[in-house]
Amino acid sequence: MSQDARGWRIALVPDTLINATAAASAALPDVLEVLAVNGYGVLQLPPPGEHRLLLAVIADQVAEYAHHGYAVVAIGVRGEEGDGLHWRRLAPLLRHRGATLPPRHIIRPEVDAATEAQRLAVFLSSYDLPPEEQRRWRI
């Protein structure tokens, strides 16, 4: 199997963190940079609203990643509807596909961006699949 540049890690990231307004981005850490440094790829979630078909496709993608040895996490934003993760709709879709719900990390915009970036980096670096699953897929 070939080496994956993402380091076998994928993060579900809300639109808010990827397409932040100038005012919002000043209060938020550079999540994409933290993800890149920690070897995570990004699966962007849509902005708030009704996105049934798109969320079903995202659930399919997450299930495929999870079933093929990728560590999957979800990064939310406190104060956004559903933390920006569409969890009410996405969680049952993932369960239906037999995928474990990914661990969630919630960014707190009211906290210093550098502190939040460090807290996110610690979360990302501390999470991976159990060693037996890593051996099964990654070697």
Side-chain angles (χ1 to χ4, degrees):
M1 187 163 277
S2 65
Q3 183 69 13
D4 189 315
R6 294 167 291 202
W8 292 88
R9 295 174 177 92
I10 295 290
L12 294 168
V13 180
D15 177 74
T16 304
L17 290 174
I18 294 175
N19 296 312
T21 64
S25 63
L28 296 169
D30 185 347
V31 171
L32 294 178
E33 175 66 21
V34 176
L35 290 167
V37 166
N38 285 279
Y40 276 79
V42 173
L43 187 54
Q44 181 178 347
L45 293 167
E50 196 63 34
H51 303 282
R52 289 176 191 242
L53 293 176
L54 182 54
L55 290 173
V57 170
I58 290 170
D60 288 340
Q61 292 173 325
V62 169
E64 280 299 307
Y65 280 123
H67 291 307
H68 288 93
Y70 283 74
V72 181
V73 298
I75 312 298
V77 181
R78 182 176 290 156
E80 293 292 314
E81 180 184 332
D83 296 325
L85 295 172
H86 300 273
W87 219 244
R88 276 194 189 146
R89 179 143 335 263
L90 198 53
L93 291 169
L94 290 171
R95 283 188 201 102
H96 178 74
R97 287 156 177 78
T100 304
L101 297 181
R104 290 177 278 177
H105 177 86
I106 306 300
I107 300 293
R108 304 169 301 184
E110 70 277 4
V111 175
D112 174 67
T115 300
E116 281 300 286
Q118 179 60 36
R119 196 171 71 87
L120 175 59
V122 167
F123 168 78
L124 294 172
S125 66
S126 68
Y127 178 71
D128 204 343
L129 295 179
E132 63 275 2
E133 282 295 304
Q134 291 180 36
R135 282 190 296 278
R136 177 177 174 210
W137 292 104
R138 302 177 188 175
I139 296 177

